[in-house]
Amino acid sequence: MAAALSPLTEGWDLCHLDPAAGPTAALAAQTEWRPARVPGTVQASAFGLPTTALYQGLALDTVAWMAERQWIYRRRLTLPAIGATEELGLH
């Protein structure tokens, strides 16, 4: 059977957490998730700006807080059904 390829560049979400707040799994479930660009940067996804615009006319102090947060990306996958003797690989 031929392998089916699907790019993993769309459908990503992003949220941020305060590392001092405790276990990340419980907090991530209660956090607002925002669409994210992948590949990309946290700053570009959070502000919706191209990476080149982040540092042109936007003070670095405006995005400095982002370095103090914990960032989590997620994407849901729909996997095909496979037989007991087949393998499924993600690349």
Side-chain angles (χ1 to χ4, degrees):
M1 175 187 340
L5 298 178
S6 177
L8 295 178
T9 56
E10 296 179 3
W12 289 91
D13 294 317
L14 170 73
C15 76
H16 67 88
L17 306 170
D18 181 350
T24 59
L27 288 172
Q30 300 172 7
T31 301
E32 177 185 348
W33 290 87
R34 306 177 84 178
R37 296 179 191 165
V38 173
T41 64
V42 166
Q43 291 87 351
S45 290
F47 285 105
L49 298 171
T51 304
T52 55
L54 282 173
Y55 306 105
Q56 296 174 358
L58 180 64
L60 290 179
D61 292 341
T62 304
V63 295
W65 66 272
M66 297 178 118
E68 299 169 4
R69 295 293 180 139
Q70 190 172 49
W71 294 89
I72 301 172
Y73 285 85
R74 73 176 180 188
R75 183 181 191 279
R76 299 192 188 281
L77 299 173
T78 301
L79 303 176
I82 61 171
T85 60
E86 295 179 293
E87 291 183 3
L88 179 65
L90 301 175
H91 298 272

